[in-house]
Amino acid sequence: MILVWLITILFAGGIGAWLSEKRNPELPRVIALATILLDLFLVVLMLVAPGVLGLDSASQAELGQTGEWLILSSSEWIPRFGVAFIFGADGLGLLLITLTVFLGLMSLGSAWNEIKERTGFFYFNLLWTLAGVIGVFTALDLFLFFFFWEVMLIPMYFIIAIWGHENKEYAAMKFFIFTQVSGMLMLLAILMLVFFHYQSTGEFTFSYFDLLGTAIPDGFGFWVMLGFFIAFATKLPTVPFHNWLPDAHSQAPTPGSVILAGILLKTGAYGLIRFTIPLFPEVSADFAPTAMLLGVISILYTAKVAFSQNDLKRLIAYTSVSHMGFVMLGVYAWTSQGVQGAVMTMLAHGFSAAALFMLAGGLQHRIHTRQMDKMGGLWGVAPKMGFMAVFFTVAAVGMPGLGNFIGEFLVLLGSFRISIAAASLAAIGMVVAAVYSLIVIQKVFHGENKNNLVVEDLTTVEMICFGLMMIGLLWMGMYPQSMLNMSEPTLRSLGVLFFQ
Amino acid sequence: MYSNLIIDLMQIIMLTISTVVVMMTTAFKRDHGLISGLTVFGLFASLLTFVFIQPVLPLEATQLLIIDEYSLFFSNLIIVGAIGVALLAYPYFQNHNVQNEEFYILLMTATLGAVVLACSNHFVSFLLGMEMMGVSLYAMIAYPVHAAKSAKFPLEAGVKYLILSALTSGITLFGIALVYAYIGTMGFDEIPAALEAAGELGPVFLIGVLMIVAGAAFKLSLVPFHIWTPDVYEGAPVPVTAFLATVSKAAMLAVTLRLLLVSNAIELNVVTTVLTVMAAASIIFGNLLALLQENVKRLFAYSSIAHLGYLLVIIIAAAKIPGTLSVEGVSFYMLAYFVMSLSGFAVISALSNSEKEYDQLADFRGLFWRNSWVSAVLITVLLSLAGIPLTAGFIGKFYIFTTGVESELWFLLTMLIIGSAIGLYYYLRLIYIMLQPAEDDTNDPAAVSLPLGVHAVMAAMTAAIIYLGVYPAPMIDTLQSLASAF
Amino acid sequence: MLDLLWLVPVIPFIGFLILTLTFGKLPQLAAGIVGAGSIGLSFVFAFLAGSSFLGAEISSYSQTLWTWMSVGDLEVGFTLYLDGVSLVMMYVITGIGFLIHVYATGYMSGDPSFARFFSYMNLFVSAMLILVLADNLALLFMGWEGVGLCSYLLIGFWYKDPNNGYCARKAFVMTRVGDAFMAIGLFTLFVSTGTLNIQEAMLEAEAQWVVGSGVATAVTLLLLGGAVGKSAQLPLQTWLPDAMAGPTPISALIHAATMVTAGVYLIARTHVLYLLAPEVQYLVGVIGAITLLMAGFTALTQSDIKKVLAFSTVSQIGYMFLALGVGAWSSAIFHLMTHAFFKALLFLTAGSIILAMHHEQDIFKMGGLRKDLRWSHALFLIGTLGLVAFPGFSGFFSKEEILASAMENHDGGYILYLAGLLGAVMTYLYSFRLYFLVFYGKKTHDGHEVMGLHLQGPLVLLAIGAVFAGFIHIPVEGVFPEMEEHHPSVMAQAAMILLPMLGGLLAWWVFVKGKVDTEKLAGQGFGAKLHRFWFTQWGMDWLYDKIIVTPYTWLAEVNKNDFIDSIYNGSARAVRFCHEVMSETQTGQLRWYAISIAYGLLLLVVLGVLL
Amino acid sequence: MEMPTVTMQVIPMEHGLLLAAILFIMGMVGVLTRRNLVFILMSLEIMLNATGLAFIVASSHWGQVDGQIMFLMILSLAAAEVAVALGLVLQLFQKRKTLDINVLGEMKG
Amino acid sequence: MSVLFYGSAIIAVLATLLVITRTNIVHALLYFIVSLLAIAVIFYTLGAPFAAALEIIVYAGAIMVMFLFVVMMLNLGQVTQDQEKAWLTPSVWIGPSIMAVPLLVAVIYAINLNQEQMAHTVVGGKEIGVALFGPYVLAVELASMLLLAGLVGAYHLARK
């Protein structure tokens, strides 16, 4: 039930924030903060002292699951189709929930001073997006999963469409149509899967556990898998389904970009790990070379496109695609190192990309442009900002000691076993990443301050956010084992190849 | 037996009585409020009779009508729609400077026709129901034709609907005549036996069936018989448009599905092929036509073309999957579409009156910030139309996918996805416009205070959309049991 | 005291944190104390740990701090490993590093970003220490990348000049190319031996690999790629001269004494692998030989005092590679150490000269400074003598060892030897060219020695090192395979000592006596072409620009708007077009509507008849 | 009184249906070609009449009463429809002074 | 009898052709009445005397007269007749007419059934009456509502 509570609290907090605007436009953000902090508190309790919440293995026995599922709850929803509320979290889920709540807090921080208009509705959308994402990470009924998959989409659309920048209509529309169309393909695939299960067992069910190992008639497996794959590859995103992302990221307000880059993209990766491959192991194995190729193309192609961007947020957005290419590569290598690397990349990229978007957003908030050729020499006026920019850029480049390195290193190592060519090509990504990342520092912070921009340095709220994210990245980089240990049992249960 | 028949027909009898009462009252005292109240009361009374009808189901009331759970469901739906339309009509016609009372009589006869249509089990009642609805609608569409300043183009819409509807009525009738000539019976449920007696399937029967399908397709505005839809939707007063979009479609759909299933016509290869072509074309053309539409009423018209195309997918699926899933799906989708349309037109109606309709996209700019309640209703409707979870539209779409997958209609599912993708664009466009800050507040349709009735319609329909989207299980159970009639 | 080893890299890191998190609010004095003091403290701990290591008479010591990553069969600990080689490196880094830090407190005083400078320096030292103390290749890679980062940050330290930024990026990207190779090498090694622990991997490799086998060749080649990038050897050497854009102490510490020698350290550290791949090992030598010649020639044409020194660094590292190539592992490390002393001395002295000349770096604008800058002159001379391996000076011992080993080497070492010898001549030539141009000749500009304990103090200590370091015995027995003692013949020794001196004479003849008009020689005809060829490092920069940089930027610029996007936008436009076509059917004309319905009926009926 | 069930001289049903079809399609052509609203209504009546004929033919073919009942219904339908339609004709003429339906083209797109 | 049938059929078709091609409304109406009378004869030959009577009384008598009233009310003169002539150009009618041909062919093909000759029985007024007040009683009631709807609609629309 605790998982349901996490989601419910966010839903309720969202409504509360919306309603409270009438009383005082400052109130919504306070309510949002309280809501997220409450969630964070619960999450921390789950991680540190699960006993306090009464979590034990008793509830797991019901569904015949073994110890991997730390938290599981289930109740009927639409019995006609065997649809049920099944929520569960294992190590991987918990990691991602933690990431979600934490980055939710960060995006709140970035919204704190930036969002001045229609605050109530804004925080409503923010909290509902988070609720949707947590739902995605915990739903173990495919219908429920799809349900949350879409729930996180609409508030995000609102955030872009209302508080976005100059080209928001196009961006919001593109974002919505890409995700929604790919989502429909996934729905189709889910239903096909359910139908095949029904054909062989005579039972309608959407339960993840029941659908694992469904026998799929020859010739269909690939298409069903593809439905899932396209949905997740679009969200991840992977070339050639990535085009919604640069627009959505660059047009979204900062908190929106933070959530998009930090959390929403991870749902795609999560879907691949949790659903696509375990549900279709054989087909996925056949498909893996293609997927890995797509991953490599994503890494290199978008790195190249990023290099030529002048719009700071667009550039960062393209780099996100590039980094997510590593995730794709690692997941489809399906070796313990590859998938663990993918998980670490998800976590670390969540932090680094979120921070970079916060920086870019902060800059835009201050100087009202995202065009890098109008910036320059900002180090002199805003050294703290410069330092943070360098830190998170360097993190994104994959500097050892910070989280992203662990992810990329493990991904490359894990995929090297499967495909030397793919891993070697992806390693070039290390070089091109340096090329595009440093150009940002160069154009924005180095050089002369030609336009005599006066930039207020980071505020206390921002410093706290960045500081927390720095600590997070350092933690991931120096002691990743704490996270690897959490996700390991999950990966074992999903059948990831472990070399011993 | 006899008393059962009375109970069975109670709804129709109640409606007839109410019609007469409304007419008689009009003759003595012309009072808009009174008549409107009487109408709503009468409709409510007939709606509530289902409590008595339910226990004695199912029963054939002569060979013409059959009252079973299926038809009762649609009758109830129709009456609910009529109540909604009556509630919307009151504020709409309040400023109408010529007599308004006849409108309610026509509304009652149209509703009666729709209920008869939904219950009909015979071509004679089919004809009567369809035409009762049709004839009333001609007048309803053209209703404000006398007004010195009418909001839209009632005359144009009325004439267009009349001519085209009469044309297709003729086609339908001719089709019925051909079918009758071939098999010698006009009762739906006698068709399979008669067909068997006639031996092989004659082309005359097929052509007859296709002509009937064409007639139904016209009322359901399926491509290629869709072409009247936008003009009539736009030209008619909003409450009538709401009626067209909801009641008229639900009634025609109910009878068409019954006819196709009971007569086993759905299993004819020709029929499924034709329906498939119509479904695909409706989905694609409807969505394409709506894409950049600037008039919201026309937008809804085009989107209704697409939605009926979606619905057709479930009907086609009935040819391949045994059991009741398909009927259940059609009923659910129709229910969802009904609720969404009514709600959507309630919003347009809330912003309009007989002298000025705010139906341009630009009129909706900034609505979310001026009147968040009305706009939230519309956003819910649009999201539901787009098939987003949490709304009834999603469960409806879920049914389409489920039935489509089960009967392996891959082509239609592809069309469905393409169509929905295009559809997203215009629904979102409208949402987007509502979310943007208004350019100027002088031209503010939302400033008008609305009567309780309109609020009630919007609230009830929105609640239904959300309820059906979040917790559809009880409704699915109901639909499952009504589908067992087939 | 060995268990305090972890403090050695940690203390500079703490210094970095203090300096960073105060965001320049620390007063300069305090920043200087923290910056230099942390390195000093680190040196103390290094010394303590080192002496107890030497005293304990063990071959190696490792200290596991925590498990870094453990995934499947990958086990990587955060483990420090100390043996003779890393001990030497640790001493060099903390010791020379400390001196350079002290010098820098003077050199950088008054700079508005004083604290930032020291924070980067401290981070660098920390990373470099991790690099040399790492017990596994993953941790080594962490240090490896860390030093690269600091190098980038420090080259671009004076951020206002965009050119500095460009140089910094170039340095980072080029070394990253090597790093990418190295990473792949790591993976190959791991997949083959199942571990990233250096010692274990070497044992496994010895047990499994056949000499000269494909995997051995691949791994060593890939690691060589990393080494070449970091140590600025051919073909990835072009970044180092540009790296001189950073403040001079950086050039001394990073781009002369420590970081650039990491490649040498890496190959020495993994020497067992190279022994299993003799061709690659020979290739190492060949690369070193070519590089040292190339850099020698180029140094001869440079006019910037720091660039001359930079090329000399490239050249000297070439010697170290040459040594590695011929299996003279300890000689390479030995040369690394002595080089650290005299090159740091040279750079810092050059820094003093630059300070004295008010940030003038062009040697043709200097001249006759031996009177004005007595201290600098003396120190620079000592450094130069060390560099040219003048007998008795530290460089002499290490370089002689290398040349002797090369000569004795039977597998084609002779060619390497000749190259080394020629290189030695070149060293004399360009070193004394520099020396003479700066301190002799006509005096054109005034210079005033900037004096101070923290400037000259370290220099003197370094000078002492530059003279006497040759007598230090590096404790690398047991790390590297025993080499037989080389005793070249007297003739050979004499040739090795005397022949290079001709270069010095030539320099004297040309630059002091002015017997040859160098400008004329370099200004026309074949000479100009040769000059140009040498000056541009054999055209490598130009080549890279043409085959990599320009195409890449062109490609990026052409596809700026992501052509995949146009596919989606195109389909959106197609849909729009269809909409417009469809809209035309809604004419509003009743007759047309009726006709369309009739056609619809016709369609249905025809379908019905046909099917 | 008993009505004798006389077996009459045979006319094939197809011929009756054929006639109905010809009339029906003539009516349809009328609807499609005319611009005058009254003519269009008249053509619609031709179509309705043709369907009535078809029902009578079928009814007599089967010897049933149902077809004739249907004919009656069609008759009342025609009456109701024409009544409403002629109301619209009056309004059109009153407002536009013409019966040309081409003037009714304000809504499109 | 068959002579009567085929003769009337030819008259009906010709009269209808004239209806849809006339330019004068009153002429067209008169031809229409001719056509209706011919069809009434056909009804009779088919054994439906009651329907034949209704055809004449209701169709020719009532509905056509309603048309006539309206035409008279509108007072359409020579102008409209010229207008009609101008509108009825070949370019206007050729298209729909040609389209009608395949439609007709298809329908004829379809109704070209088995050639067996069928017996026709006379179904007179009494049977109809019995049926109307027996199984079809609801239809009668509903038809009254249909007429009511038409009435109310016409009343509303036809008002000045």
Side-chain angles (χ1 to χ4, degrees), chain A residues 239-289:
Chain A
V239 171
F241 308 112
H242 66 286
N243 289 80
W244 62 272
L245 186 133
D247 289 302
H249 279 58
S250 57
Q251 298 302 325
T254 314
S257 303
V258 169
I259 291 188
L260 267 176
I263 314 172
L264 249 62
L265 305 190
K266 308 322 180 266
T267 57
Y270 172 80
L272 289 175
I273 298 175
R274 174 78 79 210
F275 296 104
T276 312
I277 298 179
L279 286 173
F280 314 99
E282 288 93 11
V283 193
S284 294
D286 294 342
F287 185 66

Side-chain angles (χ1 to χ4, degrees), chain C residues 229-245:
Chain C
K230 203 55 117 191
S231 292
Q233 297 296 292
L234 271 174
L236 296 176
Q237 87 291 7
T238 65
W239 63 270
L240 184 60
D242 286 330
M244 296 300 126

Side-chain angles (χ1 to χ4, degrees), chain C residues 462-481:
Chain C
L462 282 173
I464 293 169
V467 178
F468 297 109
F471 300 106
I472 298 173
H473 169 75
I474 55 169
V476 292
E477 303 87 0
V479 180
F480 299 125

